[in-house]
């Protein structure tokens, strides 16, 4: 049983996320110019860049350059039927909220990104899935006006 003192120690938010990348400059370009993040700082000699959402919501991302064999892509295979999987059965670990799903989809296509799934719309939301330059698998989501807060 946890003591009353330890019961007060809750996780209250996210500080940052770290993504392994194989080409830091290329990844900064993708996250900033394609996805719309803002570059906060970069030390290309050291091999790390800090990007964040322009509106300040959510955790920052640190892109950390490493060797290709040391990159573990952010995705996994879910062993049961799941409606949001790639053609290989992969499931996204990171989902990004957008204010314009179709425009983001078009921007990714124009940038040459690998888009695994075309946009799908339900009554609650729209989504599609894509990969960053290092094979990290993402789902972009747009809430419908009925569900947006």
């Amino acid at each position: 049983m946890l003591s009353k003192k330890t019961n007060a120690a809750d996780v209250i938010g996210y500080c940052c996320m770290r993504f392994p990348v194989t080409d830091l400059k290329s990844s900064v370009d993708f996250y900033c110019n394609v996805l719309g993040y803002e570059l906060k700082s970069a030390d290309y000699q050291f091999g790390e860049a800090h990007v964040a959402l322009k509106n300040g919501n959510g955790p920052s991302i640190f892109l950390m350059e490493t060797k290709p064999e040391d990159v573990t892509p952010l995705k996994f295979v879910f062993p049961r039927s799941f409606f949001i999987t790639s053609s290989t059965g992969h499931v996204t670990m990171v989902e990004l909220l957008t204010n314009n799903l179709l425009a983001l989809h078009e921007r990714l296509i124009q940038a040459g990104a690998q888009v695994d799934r075309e946009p799908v719309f339900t009554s609650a939301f729209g989504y599609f899935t894509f990969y960053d330059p290092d094979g990290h698998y993402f789902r972009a989501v747009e809430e419908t006006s009925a569900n947006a807060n």
Side-chain angles (χ1 to χ4, degrees):
M1 188 78 172
L2 295 175
S3 72
K4 287 184 182 184
K5 182 177 179 181
T6 60
N7 281 341
D10 296 329
V11 172
I12 58 170
Y14 292 92
C15 178
C16 69
M17 297 185 289
R18 290 184 174 86
F19 292 177
V21 300
T22 56
D23 182 330
L24 187 59
K25 288 181 181 179
S26 174
S27 291
V28 166
D29 179 63
F30 181 82
Y31 280 83
C32 293
N33 296 327
V34 179
L35 295 181
Y37 284 79
E38 180 179 6
L39 180 63
K40 295 294 187 179
S41 66
D43 184 337
Y44 293 104
Q45 188 172 0
F46 182 69
E48 181 182 78
H50 175 203
V51 299
L53 295 173
K54 291 176 184 173
N55 62 11
N57 289 342
S60 296
I61 295 174
F62 285 88
L63 303 171
M64 303 179 77
E65 193 170 55
T66 190
K67 298 177 286 189
E69 61 270 20
D70 292 333
V71 172
T72 302
L74 303 173
K75 62 186 174 185
F76 68 99
V77 175
F78 191 61
R80 292 174 275 298
S81 178
F82 188 62
F83 76 101
I84 305 165
T85 58
S86 72
S87 56
T88 60
H90 289 136
V91 177
T92 59
M93 293 176 66
V94 178
E95 297 187 4
L96 305 173
L97 191 60
T98 181
N99 61 349
N100 190 325
L101 191 73
L102 294 176
L104 180 61
H105 180 264
E106 182 62 27
R107 191 184 313 162
L108 284 159
I109 295 293
Q110 288 180 3
Q114 180 185 350
V115 176
D116 183 63
R117 176 170 286 198
E118 297 297 312
V120 173
F121 289 90
T122 71
S123 61
F125 58 91
Y127 69 92
F128 69 91
T129 52
F130 66 94
Y131 294 86
D132 82 348
D134 288 287
H136 301 306
Y137 189 45
F138 293 91
R139 179 175 130 173
V141 178
E142 179 184 4
E143 297 176 332
T144 63
S145 59
N147 292 330
N149 294 338

